[in-house]
Amino acid sequence: MSDSATSGQNVADTDGSHPGAGDGTRAVRAGLPEPVKHEPTLPGPVFAAHFHLPGEPTGPYTYGRDENPTWTHLERAIGELEAPGQDDVETLVFASGMAAISSVLFSQLRTGDAVVLPDDGYQALPLVRAQLEAYGIEVRTAPTAEDAQLDVLDGARLLWIETPSNPGLDVCDVRRLAEAAHARGALVAVDNTLATPLGQRPLDLGADFSVASGTKQLTGHGDVLLGYVAGRDAGAMAAVRRWRKIVGAIPGPMEAWLAHRSIATLQLRADRQNATALKVAEALRARPEISGLRYPGLPDDPSHKIASQQMRRFGCVVSFTLPTRERADRFLDALRLVEGATSFGGVRSTAERRGRWGGDAVPEGFIRLSVGAEDPEDLVSDLLRALEVSAG
């Protein structure tokens, strides 16, 4: 990884897929239609349950549960970020990240199959596990760190990777795991939510599916629920598309349009947030009351070596632990620039004590901090002030 990537600056690509192949250029132009005189550069949302369809039902748009022109622009935009210049990659958008996750798992797995999940991943995965097991699917789990999922991979149909993991920020070697899974005949899906396509491209690392919640940093304003799946195997993606049609887990046209609009600023937001996250992590590292500080961008972070080999940006999330639940609550109450909220990736910084939900294997004082786009000096000052206030 270049120094520019480590510092959060733009990383230019050399794939030649666009006259200007930098991340900023790609983000602001991704998915736009060819210019037409007197037409908007980004067409507005198309609100349609049905379309004019005389004669034989041929063509791209027939019914609103199947396709929508606003989805098409967004899907092309995400595909251009996930796999620049690769026309064989298909992207499908969903009503939420969980809808996207479910579409892969339940379209690819059958009764009697085995799937490998991380045991330190997104909080809803235990709910998914229960449903998979109810359908007669064997679920195996292992930690993200040290590529531990390799130990339970034999005979599995699908390997599900979450890297960096949420909320612990462990990282695994995607390429190594994908090669091992494919050698055993397994498919590989990577939850790319925390990294975003500007931080990591799972398909280029060997994954069959890149899956993410667009609710988080991809759209970045905390006003859209969205998910997507990208993949290049036509048969596998046809099954995902069929699942979306059956379940009806489709995004509204307004949400899809807002998401596409927001992607234009992704590179600006990601670079600002990532650079500030590193400054926050460096400032917190010096505090004696903090333990378990994690940020993959820190050179001494346990995940840094692998992360620097496969990630182009390290994300906007910093995690750490305060001595007690009470201290953590006082710290959160004392913050002025950081909102108490779940989720992450927004332009306004948020934080929460993850133990309040009861689903993550974390200490009671564990804090997940999502760094926003505030001035770095202001945010660091607020965090340090809150630590001082909460000590009393």
Side-chain angles (χ1 to χ4, degrees), residues 209-257:
F209 303 99
S210 181
V211 187
S213 168
T215 308
K216 312 299 194 295
Q217 193 176 26
L218 184 79
T219 57
H221 291 79
D223 55 7
V224 172
L225 285 174
L226 192 88
Y228 71 84
V229 179
R232 61 168 47 88
D233 183 274
M237 290 302 294
V240 173
R241 181 184 289 273
R242 185 167 58 250
W243 181 263
R244 183 178 71 174
K245 178 182 177 71
I246 293 170
V247 177
I250 57 173
M254 190 66 194
E255 285 77 9
W257 185 87

Side-chain angles (χ1 to χ4, degrees), residues 13-230:
D13 294 301
T14 57
D15 55 31
S17 61
H18 193 283
D23 285 341
T25 302
R26 183 174 290 116
V28 300
R29 304 204 62 82
L32 297 181
E34 290 297 320
V36 176
K37 190 174 183 178
H38 305 307
E39 293 292 327
T41 55
L42 176 61
V46 175
F47 299 98
H50 58 267
F51 302 83
H52 288 296
L53 198 64
E56 293 299 316
T58 58
Y61 305 111
T62 58
Y63 186 63
R65 192 180 69 249
D66 298 324
E67 290 289 354
N68 178 289
T70 311
W71 303 353
T72 299
H73 293 310
L74 175 60
E75 288 170 343
R76 288 173 181 169
I78 296 172
E80 289 170 18
L81 299 179
E82 283 279 352
Q86 301 175 44
D87 294 336
D88 59 339
V89 170
E90 180 180 5
T91 303
L92 298 170
V93 290
F94 290 81
S96 69
M98 278 309 303
I101 290 170
S102 300
S103 75
V104 173
L105 291 169
F106 292 106
S107 70
Q108 304 302 314
L109 296 170
R110 302 288 184 272
T111 299
D113 286 344
V115 60
V116 176
L117 302 179
D119 65 10
D120 55 348
Y122 180 50
Q123 189 186 44
L125 287 182
L127 298 176
V128 174
R129 174 177 186 165
Q131 192 61 56
L132 289 167
E133 291 175 336
Y135 290 156
I137 296 165
E138 178 189 354
V139 179
R140 308 169 188 168
T141 63
T144 297
E146 299 180 358
D147 300 342
Q149 289 173 297
L150 284 173
D151 297 334
V152 293
L153 190 55
D154 286 352
R157 166 64 180 161
L158 176 67
L159 168 63
W160 189 274
I161 297 170
E162 185 178 306
T163 181
S165 62
N166 173 30
L169 302 183
D170 277 319
V171 172
C172 60
D173 188 333
V174 176
R175 193 179 299 279
R176 180 188 181 205
L177 286 167
E179 290 175 354
H182 291 156
R184 293 165 171 80
L187 295 167
V188 178
V190 175
D191 186 330
N192 204 36
T193 301
L194 202 146
T196 81
L198 296 195
Q200 182 172 263
R201 293 179 185 150
L203 299 180
D204 288 347
L205 295 171
D208 299 289
F209 303 99
S210 181
V211 187
S213 168
T215 308
K216 312 299 194 295
Q217 193 176 26
L218 184 79
T219 57
H221 291 79
D223 55 7
V224 172
L225 285 174
L226 192 88
Y228 71 84
V229 179

Side-chain angles (χ1 to χ4, degrees), residues 361-387:
V362 295
E364 285 291 337
F366 180 93
I367 301 291
R368 185 183 69 185
L369 169 65
S370 173
V371 174
E374 298 88 356
D375 287 314
E377 297 78 12
D378 292 339
L379 186 57
V380 169
S381 177
D382 188 42
L383 292 165
L384 296 181
R385 183 196 54 78
L387 285 173

